[in-house]
């Protein structure tokens, strides 16, 4: 169960029930708990399907990672490539 104070705050500020707020908080926490390598592979695959090239993908993924609540250390193109391709 996510932090009770946070669930109450979300419920009060949105008009959701505490059960609905708890599910939303749990979903957000799970999203931000995703390890950086898993996030990199997932985002790379999605952006590749859109026809983007690696240079553009890596720049976007690097930018997205820097804005996460707990940002991982900055990764180079080479490090990102190794995460994606092994």
């Amino acid at each position: 169960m996510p932090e009770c104070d946070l669930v109450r705050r979300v419920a009060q500020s949105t008009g959701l029930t505490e059960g609905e707020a708890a599910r939303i908080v749990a979903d957000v926490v799970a999203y931000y708990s995703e390890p950086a390598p898993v996030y990199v592979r997932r985002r790379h695959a999605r952006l590749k399907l859109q026809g983007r090239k690696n240079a553009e993908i890596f720049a976007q993924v690097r930018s997205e990672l820097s804005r996460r609540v707990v940002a991982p250390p900055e990764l180079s193109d080479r490090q990102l490539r190794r995460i994606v391709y092994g």
Side-chain angles (χ1 to χ4, degrees):
M1 176 71 144
E3 181 67 37
C4 292
D5 291 336
L6 179 58
V7 170
R8 276 193 294 277
R9 166 87 173 158
V10 170
Q12 290 170 352
S13 69
T14 62
L16 297 171
T17 67
E18 284 197 13
E20 293 166 330
R23 285 192 300 276
I24 289 171
V25 169
D27 191 40
V28 170
V29 168
Y31 175 81
Y32 281 109
S33 296
E34 182 178 36
V38 174
Y39 179 85
V40 168
R41 285 189 288 274
R42 180 175 60 78
R43 288 297 291 146
H44 180 271
R46 168 145 303 155
L47 295 169
K48 200 68 161 170
L49 286 174
Q50 295 175 4
R52 297 192 183 175
K53 303 291 182 196
N54 276 345
E56 181 184 3
I57 291 171
F58 293 155
Q60 182 170 342
V61 169
R62 192 172 14 268
S63 174
E64 291 172 2
L65 285 172
S66 72
R67 294 188 309 265
R68 290 181 71 85
V69 174
V70 179
E74 188 170 332
L75 300 170
S76 68
D77 283 357
R78 181 178 181 177
Q79 290 169 313
L80 291 169
R81 192 174 293 108
R82 290 187 81 192
I83 289 171
V84 172
Y85 298 111

